[in-house]
Amino acid sequence: MIVVGKENDEFSKQLAKELGIEYSPIEHKLFPDNESYIRFQNYDGLKEKELIFVNRGESPNFNPDKLLIETLFTLKKLKGEYKSKIYCVLPYIPYARQDKKFKRGEVVSLREARDSLKEYSDLLINVSAHDFRSEGWVDEKTYNVDGTYAIIDFMEKQKYEKPLILAPDMTATNSVLMIAEALDAGTESLIKRRSLETGMIITGGKLPSLNDQELIIYDDIASTGNTLYKAVERGKEAGAKKIVCAVVHAVLTYNKDFGKNCLDLIREQGAEFYATDTIASPISEISIVPYIAKAIKERF
Ligand code: R5P
């Protein structure tokens, strides 16, 4: 097996190292109009092989279109022209936002993205893909690595004292329970409703008094930061002595309601903010690579 990934992204090199296998770089540049240039440096060595192709995005300014298109073009060449067996590692799957149909006539973009990617790969490996386990979308060509374990290992090293673990909405409760069990901590959850028209969120629920207690807020994705912002507000109102936000995917987009990026929004609230490196970002301090490597080793 050979790991194939962009030469300017350490992630694929680290994965090859962790797996103890060969790494083959992809030359990657942008044309002046922002289109991607992609070239396999060791092209002859990639034909009719078993390849692990890795691609991830970066934030702030995360671009889901670019990540998806680059990945599809690359897979198509490796599979169609080079006739290789492809295991595609896409730590954050783009188009995760629309993961179900809320109104008639909507395109469920996560399903479309995954189906297109699966057409050109023998196995698609994602990390904590938005809700797709509950949607029954995990099949023989899809593997979901649970990013919660990386968050737990990181949290254990931080040595928090009896923190409270908070789910900012009900979708985070499973992971929050796992973290709480590992840290021997209590849990709380808030209730969130998002307007289908404006995208604005309303958060309900109240926290108990948190005097002198540390609060850890877990979510799978931080995009605009609105979800975390509300949860941090609740934590402050409850008197938490320290607030830590931990997410798997640091999408970190510009928040037009506040006129600033999600990263600044949360940090300016005085909270610590950490993420895994499924997307390269200034807060991606938690490496997901060992967990992906473990999943690959278990599978093959
Ligand atoms: C939604 O259910 C997810 O788990 C996250 O809470 C959501 O994607 C976060 O988005 P934002 O940062 O824009 O509030």
Side-chain angles (χ1 to χ4, degrees):
M1 266 191 211
I2 305 170
V3 173
V4 185
K6 287 176 191 162
E7 63 179 348
N8 46 10
D9 188 1
E10 284 302 307
F11 194 92
S12 43
K13 289 179 207 162
Q14 284 167 12
L15 184 62
K17 204 166 160 204
E18 192 82 28
L19 289 167
I21 59 176
E22 191 186 330
Y23 163 70
S24 182
I26 293 177
E27 189 183 338
H28 177 259
K29 295 185 288 204
L30 292 180
F31 287 108
D33 57 6
N34 215 28
E35 287 182 3
S36 299
Y37 169 90
I38 300 161
R39 178 178 170 267
F40 304 116
Q41 292 187 358
N42 176 25
Y43 41 91
D44 280 334
L46 300 181
K47 293 177 183 161
E48 295 175 26
K49 294 278 168 42
E50 267 194 303
L51 307 176
I52 299 174
F53 167 60
V54 186
N55 202 13
R56 68 169 182 162
E58 55 186 30
S59 67
N61 306 319
F62 177 70
N63 185 336
D65 300 333
K66 184 167 277 301
L67 182 59
L68 186 60
I69 285 291
E70 276 180 356
T71 306
L72 283 172
F73 288 176
T74 310
L75 288 175
K76 200 159 181 285
K77 185 165 174 88
L78 291 173
K79 184 99 198 129
E81 191 181 324
Y82 288 2
K83 312 234 172 313
S84 286
K85 193 156 194 177
I86 312 294
Y87 311 118
C88 174
V89 175
L90 203 51
Y92 176 72
I93 181 160
Y95 284 88
R97 203 121 295 271
Q98 182 90 33
D99 60 342
K100 51 174 95 96
K101 193 159 73 179
F102 297 92
K103 291 182 187 171
R104 290 180 68 190
E106 282 178 349
V107 171
V108 181
S109 49
L110 177 58
R111 186 168 51 211
E112 302 310 336
R114 291 183 66 241
D115 285 353
S116 312
L117 292 161
K118 270 159 54 180
E119 216 168 294
Y120 300 107
S121 28
D122 295 274
L123 184 68
L124 178 60
I125 301 172
N126 305 134
V127 179
S128 294
H130 212 176
D131 261 9
F132 74 53
R133 190 175 290 276
S134 58
E135 294 290 324
W137 291 347
V138 174
D139 54 23
E140 72 290 347
K141 285 186 84 177
T142 318
Y143 193 93
N144 183 33
V145 176
D146 188 346
T148 317
Y149 294 105
I151 303 269
I152 289 175
D153 291 345
F154 176 79
M155 290 294 164
E156 281 180 334
K157 288 191 197 115
Q158 305 304 305
K159 308 261 178 266
Y160 298 114
E161 288 166 26
K162 291 272 173 205
L164 182 78
I165 321 294
L166 176 65
D169 61 31
M170 299 309 275
T171 59
T173 41
N174 269 350
S175 296
V176 160
L177 289 173
M178 287 164 63
I179 298 168
E181 198 179 312
L183 301 189
D184 191 21
T187 64
E188 285 287 340
S189 59
L190 299 171
I191 297 163
K192 180 178 88 179
R193 203 162 53 82
R194 195 184 285 272
S195 159
L196 295 182
E197 271 65 46
T198 63
M200 284 301 287
I201 60 168
I202 299 166
T203 298
K206 207 170 180 298
L207 297 182
S209 173
L210 292 176
N211 281 340
D212 286 336
Q213 205 177 354
E214 294 166 327
L215 180 69
I216 297 175
I217 306 168
Y218 165 88
D219 206 354
D220 57 349
I221 300 174
S223 180
T224 63
N226 280 334
T227 304
L228 289 178
Y229 181 87
K230 299 264 178 173
V232 172
E233 258 187 345
R234 292 296 156 94
K236 284 163 91 174
E237 282 159 19
K241 111 169 152 184
K242 171 177 178 175
I243 302 180
V244 178
C245 295
V247 300
V248 178
H249 305 296
V251 176
L252 309 182
T253 49
Y254 179 77
N255 185 317
K256 59 179 175 16
D257 303 322
F258 289 90
K260 56 184 74 164
N261 185 276
C262 165
L263 183 57
D264 298 325
L265 179 68
I266 302 305
R267 279 184 170 163
E268 285 171 18
Q269 276 182 303
E272 290 180 17
F273 198 5
Y274 302 105
T276 77
D277 55 357
T278 58
I279 296 172
S281 86
I283 57 165
S284 296
E285 290 186 34
I286 307 169
S287 174
I288 199 75
V289 170
Y291 305 86
I292 295 177
K294 185 166 172 273
I296 292 173
K297 281 182 193 156
E298 275 169 13
R299 177 102 185 192
F300 302 104

